[in-house]
Amino acid sequence: WMILMVVYRNGRDWIVLMAVMVAVFYYCMWRWERRSELLRVFCNGIIFNFIYMVVFSLLHRPYLRFRHNRFGMGFHTVTVTGYYLAMVLAAIVVRLFLQYGKTKRWIDCWKELSLIGIANAYLFMTLSRTGYLSAFVMQIFVLIWMSLVWHKKKLLSILTSAGVILVASVLAFPMVFTAQRIIPAVANDPIYSEIEVWEYVIEKGDRKD
């Protein structure tokens, strides 16, 4: 399936291929006796991959990302980046509530809140409406589920949790945006292996239309 995703690159076929991959994964997890451990390791793998993607984006920013107003991290379309970040946020938000359930203090969840803020900041920079919608619905769903069902809290807890996530995202955005604008230029090691060439950029000497 991964080979087919590479062959088809980006298109309508990706939705079907990704759905089949997720269905097979859930089937394997459902049949395995240690599925709770698999889920924890899977979420940690997603978070570790996200940290790697952030470091890579800061040190080896693709050349065309310097010229384009929508940032796609290491992916060749911002829509795929939106899907990826929605998955990352799902893993981090679940970890956030598991950590909060143990400590009952938001200050002890600073690592998870920092990661959520960074992920939401990169999601905002994609300007992907699909990514916005999927991440927003997912985070609201997880907030309601973890607060009402898992922690047996009331509506006020949902609003408090949403406020904490919002504050973390607002505080993280100026730092992430500034770092993503400055550090790649200072590192001065862009990559040129672009899959698609964007023609809708504004440069000196372009036609006025």
Side-chain angles (χ1 to χ4, degrees):
W1 290 107
M2 292 296 295
I3 294 175
L4 288 175
M5 290 181 68
V6 174
V7 171
Y8 285 115
R9 288 171 56 186
N10 179 43
R12 305 293 181 184
D13 305 290
W14 269 35
I15 300 174
V16 178
L17 295 174
M18 294 177 72
V20 172
M21 291 175 62
V22 172
V24 171
F25 171 76
Y26 272 106
Y27 175 77
C28 295
M29 187 174 65
W30 173 62
R31 297 284 295 178
W32 197 35
E33 295 179 355
R34 300 168 62 183
R35 54 182 175 269
S36 60
E37 181 179 347
L38 173 64
L39 184 61
R40 178 179 59 83
V41 173
F42 182 71
C43 289
N44 289 338
I46 293 174
I47 296 172
F48 178 78
N49 179 266
F50 172 66
I51 295 173
Y52 168 80
M53 288 291 293
V54 171
V55 174
F56 180 84
S57 298
L58 292 174
L59 297 181
H60 308 284
R61 184 174 180 177
Y63 174 69
L64 290 182
R65 296 289 191 270
F66 284 101
R67 299 161 46 184
H68 198 244
N69 57 352
R70 302 175 69 182
F71 188 73
M73 299 189 76
F75 300 97
H76 60 284
T77 67
V78 291
T79 303
V80 175
T81 308
Y83 291 149
Y84 169 76
L85 291 174
M87 179 180 65
V88 169
L89 284 166
I92 301 175
V93 170
V94 170
R95 276 203 51 169
L96 169 67
F97 281 97
L98 292 177
Q99 179 67 17
Y100 178 73
K102 295 177 182 178
T103 63
K104 304 299 182 182
R105 295 175 46 183
W106 289 114
I107 191 64
D108 295 328
C109 306
W110 64 271
K111 290 182 291 186
E112 290 79 9
L113 288 172
S114 299
L115 289 173
I116 288 176
I118 295 172
N120 276 321
Y122 274 104
L123 179 64
F124 183 78
M125 289 192 293
T126 64
L127 300 179
S128 171
R129 292 167 296 179
T130 306
Y132 291 168
L133 178 62
S134 57
F136 177 78
V137 172
M138 178 277 304
Q139 290 184 81
I140 292 298
F141 177 79
V142 173
L143 280 174
I144 296 175
W145 176 265
M146 297 296 287
S147 296
L148 297 182
V149 179
W150 190 265
H151 294 303
K152 307 297 182 183
K153 300 294 184 179
K154 297 182 179 180
L155 179 61
L156 181 60
S157 175
I158 299 176
L159 297 177
T160 303
S161 303
V164 171
I165 292 177
L166 180 61
V167 169
S169 302
V170 171
L171 292 178
F173 177 76
M175 293 182 285
V176 173
F177 181 82
T178 303
Q180 192 58 62
R181 291 285 292 179
I182 295 177
I183 295 179
V186 175
N188 194 26
D189 189 19
I191 59 177
Y192 299 92
S193 57
E194 295 291 340
I195 297 178
E196 296 179 355
V197 177
W198 295 316
E199 298 180 354
Y200 40 98
V201 294
I202 300 176
E203 292 185 320
K204 184 178 180 181
D206 285 347
R207 295 191 305 270
K208 295 296 186 289
D209 59 353

